[in-house]
Amino acid sequence: MTDDGHHRPDAVVPAAGQQLLAERFARGQVTDLRHALAACAEAAGLRDQRLDDFVLAVNELITNAVRHGGGAGVLRLWRAGGTLVCEVSDGGAGIGAERLANHERPAPDVAGGWGLWLAGQLSDSMQVATGPAGTTVRISTMLNGVHGRLADADTAGAVERVE
């Protein structure tokens, strides 16, 4: 608990997971971090379009942390069995409930609102823990198999709000 009585989302790598990358980042480090993430994800076994999709999803989360979450954040990447998991945390003011409840694709002419939507579409699962002390978004993708989100319209865009 923080002094304001709100829970700060924790970023915890499961003990059973194999940590591949853990980095603090700020605005000027986004490109280098994206390249490091891509190399680690590929070394873990992610390939081709699934690799590109996962890297793009994480890039959107990193960009959101820089733009909307206080200008900096922490990225953690690990492998848990046949799943690659990435978590991006920031110290911003949180994401509003209305924003998280909207699972619609943003209008093509809208400049914002694409980051979380894309991250959800390009990963197999996504969870969001948010509050006034920050936001943590965890996405995952299976290393082998069909891409879950884009292939399954019933789950596309699903976001879980955890407080």
Side-chain angles (χ1 to χ4, degrees), residues 61-81:
L61 298 177
I62 295 167
T63 301
N64 278 354
V66 168
R67 287 187 181 159
H68 309 293
V74 176
L75 178 140
R76 290 182 174 85
L77 177 72
W78 67 94
R79 182 178 177 161

Side-chain angles (χ1 to χ4, degrees), residues 9 11 31 67 85-87 92 107 112 131 143 152 161:
T31 301
R67 287 187 181 159
V85 182
C86 187
E87 189 173 82
L143 292 169
D152 185 356
R161 180 182 170 94

Side-chain angles (χ1 to χ4, degrees), residues 13 18-23 33 36-38 40 75-78:
V13 176
Q18 176 188 4
Q19 185 165 321
L20 304 172
L21 184 64
E23 292 286 331
L33 184 56
L37 169 82
C40 289
L75 178 140
R76 290 182 174 85
L77 177 72
W78 67 94

Side-chain angles (χ1 to χ4, degrees), residues 116-134:
L116 278 179
W117 184 82
L118 278 171
Q121 296 298 308
L122 297 173
S123 60
D124 292 333
S125 71
M126 180 168 82
Q127 296 86 38
V128 178
T130 190

